[in-house]
Amino acid sequence: MKQNPKRRAGHTGHHELGFVRTYIFSQDHKMIARQFLFMGLFMMIIGGLLALIVRWQLAWPETAVPGLGGILKETNGILEPSTYNMAFTMHATIMIFFVVMPILAGCFGNFCIPLMLGARDMAFPFLNMLSFWTTFTAGLIMLSGFFVPGGHAAAGWTSYAPLSAVPEYTGVNWGQNLWCISLFVMGVGSMMGSINYITTVINMRAPGMKLFRMPLVVWSLFITAILLLLALPVLTSGVAMLLFDRTLGTSWFKPSGGGEPLLWQHLFWYFGHPEVYILILPAMGIASEILPVFCRKPIFGYHAMAFSMIAIAFLSWVVYGHHMFVSGMNPALGMSFMVTTMIIAVPSAIKTFNWLGTLWGGRITFKVPMLNALAFVSMFVIGGLSGIFMASTPVDIYIQDTYFIVAHIHYVVFGGSIFGAFAAIYYWFPKLFGRMTNPFLGHLHFWPTFLFFNLTFFPMHIIGVGGQMRRIYNPMQYEFLQHQQHWNVFITYSALLLGLSQIPFVINFFWSLFAGQKAPMNPWNATTLEWSAPSPPHLNWGARIPTVYRGPYEYSSPESQEDFLPQWQQPSVAAPAERRRH
Amino acid sequence: MAFATVLEAPPRRRPVVRRRNGYLPPPPPPTGGGDGPERDPEPRRPFLDNARLATLFLIGGEIMFFGGLVVAFFVLRIAAPVWPPPDQPRLPVGVTGVNTLVLLSSSVLMIGAVRALARKQPGEVVRRLAWAGALGLVFLAVQGYEWARLVGFGLTVSSGAYGATFYTLIGVHGVHVLGALVWLAVVLMHAALGRYADGPTAGLRACAIYWHFIVALWPILYVAVYLL
């Protein structure tokens, strides 16, 4: 990129923004992306510790949890049933709404969309800043719930009414109210963010960046933004009704006043099913982005990848009933939800086979981002296959609300989204912070995480089919579960080791942030536009926005001197690269 | 390879002249077309400015939000044995019907304001915007008065599904009218300061789209809550 010195001098005004405008109330999409990343990683620590507390209780019921003696003074660190309910409720809520969504949609949405499309910033930078601070406020409200009398929300992350609608049922008063307020505020924040993403993708692309030249991660974030925009308002309306029920005395979900408890489940899952695709689609895009780079091959079936994501997004609206097979539903309706759910396997399989087709015959280098992306693909296959079990009503009636479901969701959300997030963090770290991560620490993080992830969550399938219900306080209370208690102990040991395996990541992250090797402009020899900007980018490019000449995955092209053709490289007249495609 | 390229003439782009966004696109480049990498890609011309596009998507989200509320309302309503419950006060259909006309006429004035903007009559724009906002305020005031009367008759949020649905749906719409009025006030201030006379007018047009949405939402809620 040639940079016009005069134009750059004109932009130096931006350097003179004070500390607050640069680092706190920043309107720069890259700074907002970093803020989302730090917020998500911080919340991940809290959510992870809550998970370990839950695991301790399940393995060694009603023994003192180490380290909790100072907090739970009355019980000397032993979890009471109400505290246990609070722990698993907040683990799920924090992980879904304040870890995966801020990291994948918030951080990488903000970072990748403008940089990969060749835009200087989002369409509405101020709205973008507002979106982060709204989400941040929602996070603070959510955390403040731990400190109110009565404890935090304890009705499960799904907060089924009427358990959640009447304070006396769980004994939680302000905790559940703050849960509702926090999700309401987060809904507003993510609405601002998603409108911004959609407008940016439609209107702000660089010259030559056609829709079907967009990198697949941008496609996935675009579709995610549409799902966010249309799904979250339904939850927002639901939590508003729930909050009114709890505080103003309305009776939307309370049968005593003519309300309908099942209505909450419909509203919640009408949002909830698109939500799981909000969590997984960006990770799918990230894997589609990283696999071609590290096997030096174009993605297999670019159009099929984009269209299958659109198909998944569309289908996600017509399958939500599969969460409610045992809630009381007309069998004909259950049957149609079963069929639509099974149809989702088709676009998902298209994506999986395309990832395999990309790997086939490639020159694979097992760098840390690639390992995490491969873990995403393989774990997503396991999570997807166990999903088919649940999709069929006869099986689901048996495994509903057992640890089989817990295993499934963790294979999809941890094995899928979190490995995708790790892959993205390792892959874009050079561009996010201008420094390379340490590959040794990266391997030291990846291999134990991958191993202990499987040792933690795979046995959950077994105890789930063995009949262990989710959300039970003490499995030893049930005679038919006592013979498999050794599995619970094994899972807890694995979970503790899984937690310890994250320490190399934390060390790597902060060490590389300050002392990592300086990153070159294009460390992975990738073709997409963000690698044409300096690391870390300031105003994204110099005087001229790059022009896009070709699709995003031109690796091992015979037309190039090296083995890749960047999107921004002007083709020679004799090389009709565009015709050869498709 | 190169020889084949010469033989196959690149497909010629048809010179389509379309009116987009109020201005004509520049003529196609003289060197002919094709999507080939030989030519410098043209800069993109968005078919709709950012502000209006974002407003349309905002409306998409709002439709889902109100959709959740209205569907929930119908679920409770159909499940109820008698609706409205016999011991509860009736809703003021007549006054609210007149109020509906007030709100609809504010939308007509908003159309007039945008037309005046296109005809470059800044004074008329300000006057019509002010009237549209004033009618919105009248609507809110009448709604508030009716609420106060209904509470006096004994219909409150806690009086069963009937009161809960009524106050939630109408209240949420009222909050949206209030929000749209704030936006309208900002736009009115900009118009009075002459910002739209020579600059981009997207802000006013986006506000007009949102105002029409809020107005169009009302008859649906009126029919669902008051008439059915």
Side-chain angles (χ1 to χ4, degrees):
Chain A
M1 280 306 311
K2 269 189 246 161
Q3 290 183 337
N4 182 343
K6 213 165 103 192
R7 182 68 188 270
R8 275 172 76 195
H11 275 300
T12 47
H14 289 266
H15 285 297
E16 288 151 19
L17 291 174
F19 175 81
V20 173
R21 293 281 307 278
T22 317
Y23 292 104
I24 300 173
F25 294 107
S26 170
Q27 299 188 18
D28 175 21
H29 73 101
K30 300 174 292 291
M31 186 51 73
I32 295 169
R34 287 175 207 132
Q35 288 171 330
F36 268 118
L37 182 64
F38 282 113
M39 176 183 160
L41 291 176
F42 172 73
M43 293 297 247
M44 192 194 269
I45 297 172
I46 298 174
L49 290 177
L50 284 168
L52 293 182
I53 293 172
V54 170
R55 273 322 312 174
W56 187 278
Q57 164 68 22
L58 286 169
W60 302 288
E62 297 174 63
T63 56
V65 183
L68 275 190
I71 301 169
L72 303 171
K73 284 201 182 71
E74 306 91 67
T75 58
N76 268 328
I78 298 170
L79 285 187
E80 287 177 85
S82 57
T83 326
Y84 173 77
N85 288 348
M86 182 185 101
F88 70 71
T89 302
M90 293 323 294
H91 163 67
T93 307
I94 286 178
M95 284 298 192
I96 288 168
F97 293 105
F98 296 102
V99 175
V100 178
M101 280 168 70
I103 293 182
L104 286 182
C107 167
F108 291 105
N110 258 310
F111 191 74
C112 293
I113 290 177
L115 269 174
M116 293 178 111
L117 292 182
R120 288 211 188 271
D121 208 317
M122 284 285 178
F124 306 101
F126 182 77
L127 195 68
N128 204 13
M129 176 185 85
L130 216 55
S131 161
F132 171 73
W133 285 104
T134 315
T135 314
F136 183 81
T137 313
L140 281 188
I141 295 172
M142 192 55 94
L143 290 183
S144 69
F146 285 110
F147 304 103
V148 295
H152 213 317
W157 84 280
T158 50
S159 280
Y160 274 7
L163 182 63
S164 57
V166 182
E168 287 76 37
Y169 290 171
T170 50
V172 177
N173 191 13
W174 265 96
Q176 187 77 42
N177 291 353
L178 287 170
W179 186 90
C180 293
I181 295 169
S182 169
L183 289 193
F184 189 93
V185 174
M186 199 223 49
V188 174
S190 76
M191 193 167 184
M192 296 181 208
S194 54
I195 290 174
N196 215 343
Y197 291 3
I198 296 170
T199 312
T200 308
V201 170
I202 294 178
N203 267 4
M204 309 282 284
R205 283 171 280 137
M209 179 61 88
K210 300 167 187 176
L211 275 181
F212 283 101
R213 279 179 182 169
M214 293 199 310
L216 284 169
V217 69
V218 178
W219 262 110
S220 73
L221 289 162
F222 178 48
I223 295 164
T224 305
I226 292 174
L227 286 181
L228 268 174
L229 176 72
L230 299 181
L232 267 174
V234 182
L235 176 77
T236 312
S237 70
V239 294
M241 291 179 223
L242 189 61
L243 188 65
F244 293 159
D245 269 13
R246 293 178 60 87
T247 54
L248 302 180
T250 59
S251 41
W252 284 97
F253 306 121
K254 287 187 288 195
S256 55
E260 183 66 70
L262 206 54
L263 174 64
W264 167 263
Q265 293 189 26
H266 281 282
L267 287 172
F268 185 85
W269 288 117
Y270 193 74
F271 142 81
H273 201 80
E275 168 71 16
V276 303
Y277 293 105
I278 290 167
L279 303 178
I280 196 75
L281 276 173
M284 288 175 165
I286 286 162
S288 313
E289 202 60 40
I290 291 175
L291 293 184
V293 177
F294 293 98
C295 61
R296 312 310 293 170
K297 270 184 68 190
I299 190 93
F300 191 95
Y302 173 90
H303 286 79
M305 287 301 237
F307 283 120
S308 61
M309 280 194 282
I310 294 171
I312 289 175
F314 174 76
L315 284 171
S316 74
W317 296 101
V318 291
V319 300
Y320 79 96
H322 64 217
H323 296 271
M324 300 166 55
F325 281 151
V326 300
S327 300
M329 187 189 275
N330 185 331
L333 208 55
M335 181 74 182
S336 33
F337 276 125
M338 174 174 132
V339 171
T340 49
T341 306
M342 295 221 169
I343 291 174
I344 285 204
V346 175
S348 309
I350 290 175
K351 297 195 75 68
T352 308
F353 283 113
N354 280 351
W355 286 320
L356 295 182
T358 309
L359 293 171
W360 186 273
R363 276 185 287 128
I364 303 176
T365 44
F366 292 101
K367 298 233 171 89
V368 182
M370 179 63 165
L371 286 171
N372 281 286
L374 289 173
F376 162 81
V377 174
S378 47
M379 294 303 101
F380 176 71
V381 169
I382 297 179
L385 287 178
S386 64
I388 297 177
F389 287 61
M390 291 157 212
S392 49
T393 20
V395 185
D396 185 71
I397 288 168
Y398 178 67
I399 57 177
Q400 163 86 22
D401 265 342
T402 64
Y403 261 76
F404 197 87
I405 308 285
V406 180
H408 166 74
I409 190 195
H410 284 96
Y411 263 92
V412 180
V413 176
F414 194 129
S417 307
I418 299 283
F419 273 120
F422 282 142
I425 291 170
Y426 284 117
Y427 181 68
W428 277 295
F429 198 92
K431 200 52 73 182
L432 268 163
F433 299 106
R435 289 175 190 273
M436 305 297 286
T437 52
N438 183 320
F440 173 75
L441 284 171
H443 282 276
L444 199 63
H445 168 226
F446 171 74
W447 290 107
T449 305
F450 185 70
L451 178 70
F452 293 119
F453 162 76
N454 279 293
L455 293 183
T456 304
F457 295 110
F458 201 84
M460 287 187 185
H461 291 111
I462 299 165
I463 59 170
V465 174
Q468 181 169 333
M469 300 78 83
R470 70 196 281 206
R471 295 172 176 168
I472 51 170
Y473 171 60
N474 181 353
M476 292 301 281
Q477 284 174 337
Y478 303 90
E479 215 171 290
F480 70 102
L481 293 179
Q482 282 169 2
H483 74 278
Q484 57 184 23
Q485 183 62 15
H486 61 277
W487 275 122
N488 273 322
V489 176
F490 176 81
I491 291 171
T492 300
Y493 277 124
S494 309
L496 290 168
L497 288 168
L498 178 62
L500 288 180
S501 316
Q502 306 313 308
I503 290 173
F505 174 74
V506 178
I507 297 172
N508 195 0
F509 191 90
F510 285 102
W511 182 81
S512 308
L513 201 58
F514 298 109
Q517 191 196 337
K518 282 256 188 293
M521 197 184 250
N522 190 355
W524 314 116
N525 288 340
T527 55
T528 43
L529 282 187
E530 78 274 30
W531 304 107
S532 69
S535 308
H538 175 66
L539 286 168
N540 299 0
W541 290 277
R544 254 189 75 209
I545 293 265
T547 305
V548 177
Y549 298 96
R550 59 175 66 76
Y553 303 110
E554 293 284 338
Y555 294 102
S556 300
S557 166
E559 289 153 23
S560 69
Q561 303 298 316
E562 309 97 358
D563 70 340
F564 66 109
L565 280 172
Q567 283 191 286
W568 64 88
Q569 185 181 303
Q570 192 154 20
S572 54
V573 179
E578 181 67 22
R579 275 143 181 279
R580 200 176 44 75
R581 286 182 52 79
H582 317 311
Chain B
M1 195 63 190
F3 186 57
T5 324
V6 173
L7 283 184
E8 285 177 47
R12 213 169 174 72
R13 171 177 285 222
R14 277 186 28 237
V16 185
V17 180
R18 260 180 298 176
R19 182 176 277 275
R20 281 171 172 165
N21 217 1
Y23 62 83
L24 292 175
T31 47
D35 270 338
E38 298 92 302
R39 187 168 54 78
D40 255 352
E42 307 170 48
R44 301 188 62 258
R45 280 187 312 275
F47 68 96
L48 201 59
D49 52 76
N50 287 351
R52 270 188 283 178
L53 194 66
T55 309
L56 288 179
F57 281 106
L58 171 68
I59 288 172
E62 295 269 36
I63 286 173
M64 295 304 286
F65 179 75
F66 278 98
L69 286 170
V70 171
V71 167
F73 164 73
F74 276 111
V75 167
L76 296 197
R77 214 212 117 126
I78 291 165
V82 192
W83 192 277
D87 54 339
Q88 299 278 0
R90 297 296 107 122
L91 299 176
V93 173
V95 178
T96 316
V98 175
N99 213 7
T100 307
L101 293 180
V102 170
L103 198 59
L104 288 176
S105 52
S106 84
S107 207
V108 174
L109 277 162
M110 188 57 102
I111 295 173
V114 174
R115 288 209 175 141
L117 185 76
R119 285 199 300 268
K120 302 213 182 298
Q121 300 166 322
E124 198 67 11
V125 172
V126 173
R127 204 168 317 127
R128 287 177 184 175
L129 280 179
W131 272 108
L135 287 177
L137 273 179
V138 169
F139 172 81
L140 270 190
V142 174
Q143 288 290 98
Y145 175 70
E146 287 300 328
W147 270 34
R149 272 171 40 112
L150 281 170
V151 173
F153 290 142
L155 183 70
T156 59
V157 277
S158 48
S159 48
Y162 184 57
T165 52
F166 171 74
Y167 284 109
T168 310
L169 257 67
I170 306 305
V172 166
H173 180 262
V175 169
H176 277 80
V177 174
L178 196 63
L181 272 174
V182 172
W183 190 356
L184 185 58
V186 173
V187 165
L188 180 63
M189 197 184 72
H190 281 237
L193 293 173
R195 299 263 170 85
Y196 301 115
D198 45 359
T201 57
L204 198 157
R205 290 171 194 272
C207 178
I209 292 174
Y210 190 69
W211 187 260
H212 292 317
F213 165 70
I214 293 297
V215 171
L217 203 57
W218 176 250
I220 298 171
L221 293 177
Y222 177 63
V223 171
V225 177
Y226 287 81
L227 295 186
L228 283 181

